[in-house]
Amino acid sequence: MTKKKEQKTQKNASDKVNEEISDSSKIEDLTSQLEEAQQSTKDNWDKLLRSQAEMENLKRRTAKDLENAHKYALDGFVKALLEVSDSLTMGIKSAREDKATLETTTEGLELTMKVFNSTIEKFGVESINPIDEKFDTIIGNPPYVSYLNVIPET
């Protein structure tokens, strides 16, 4: 019987060793999985932070581009209106001369008006003549349509 006890003891000991090996293998597997999960979490956190930074940069760039668009659009419009201002200045100067007549002054004003109308048309402003027309709320007040009341030619 002692041999059977020894065999059982050896079997129990080998089972314990196998269990310990199996347990240590499981622990190593779990440790490996934990490290992989931690690395994945770290990578995803890094991606999140980079995405947030990119979004903030995009917001700043967009705001700056919009500001520049407004600034340079207004600059272009003002520069185009300088031609009209120059024409008006010359008209005033010629109207003050001794040989100026009402006919030449009117002709100069008409030419200045043509320059003004062509200038604003370059920027998408359309002249309309609302005289003797019923007010149309569709074209009369939307924010995207600019209009100018012009005295009709006689």
Side-chain angles (χ1 to χ4, degrees):
M1 271 221 191
T2 56
K3 269 192 175 189
K4 282 188 180 182
K5 281 185 179 178
E6 284 180 24
Q7 287 176 350
K8 274 188 174 181
T9 307
Q10 285 178 354
K11 187 177 180 184
N12 285 341
S14 72
D15 287 345
K16 285 183 182 179
V17 169
N18 286 339
E19 283 179 26
E20 287 177 9
I21 291 173
S22 176
D23 287 346
S24 69
S25 175
K26 286 181 183 177
I27 290 172
E28 288 176 10
D29 286 344
L30 290 175
T31 303
S32 173
Q33 288 177 2
L34 177 62
E35 289 173 356
E36 288 175 10
Q38 287 174 336
Q39 184 62 40
S40 176
T41 301
K42 185 179 177 183
D43 292 344
N44 288 336
W45 184 253
D46 186 50
K47 288 178 185 177
L48 172 73
L49 292 178
R50 290 178 187 274
S51 294
Q52 286 178 335
E54 183 62 31
M55 288 303 294
E56 289 299 318
N57 289 338
L58 182 62
K59 284 180 187 178
R60 277 189 240 121
R61 279 194 306 264
T62 303
K64 185 178 178 181
D65 289 348
L66 183 62
E67 180 183 327
N68 286 340
H70 286 134
K71 178 183 175 185
Y72 294 120
L74 185 60
D75 285 351
F77 185 68
V78 170
K79 286 179 183 176
L81 285 178
L82 286 177
E83 184 179 356
V84 176
S85 175
D86 291 344
S87 180
L88 286 171
T89 303
M90 288 188 296
I92 291 169
K93 185 178 177 182
S94 70
R96 289 186 177 155
E97 291 178 356
D98 290 336
K99 53 186 171 175
T101 64
L102 182 60
E103 185 177 305
T104 58
T105 303
T106 304
E107 182 181 334
L109 286 173
E110 288 172 350
L111 290 173
T112 301
M113 190 63 177
K114 285 181 183 179
V115 170
F116 177 72
N117 284 334
S118 70
T119 300
I120 62 172
E121 284 174 5
K122 288 178 190 175
F123 291 91
V125 180
E126 183 180 326
S127 299
I128 59 173
N129 185 1
I131 296 176
D132 296 330
E133 291 184 21
K134 189 175 179 180
F135 181 73
D136 186 356
T137 57
I138 294 174
I139 65 167
N141 212 11
Y144 57 91
V145 175
S146 299
Y147 61 93
L148 176 69
N149 293 332
V150 178
I151 298 172
E153 295 181 9
T154 55

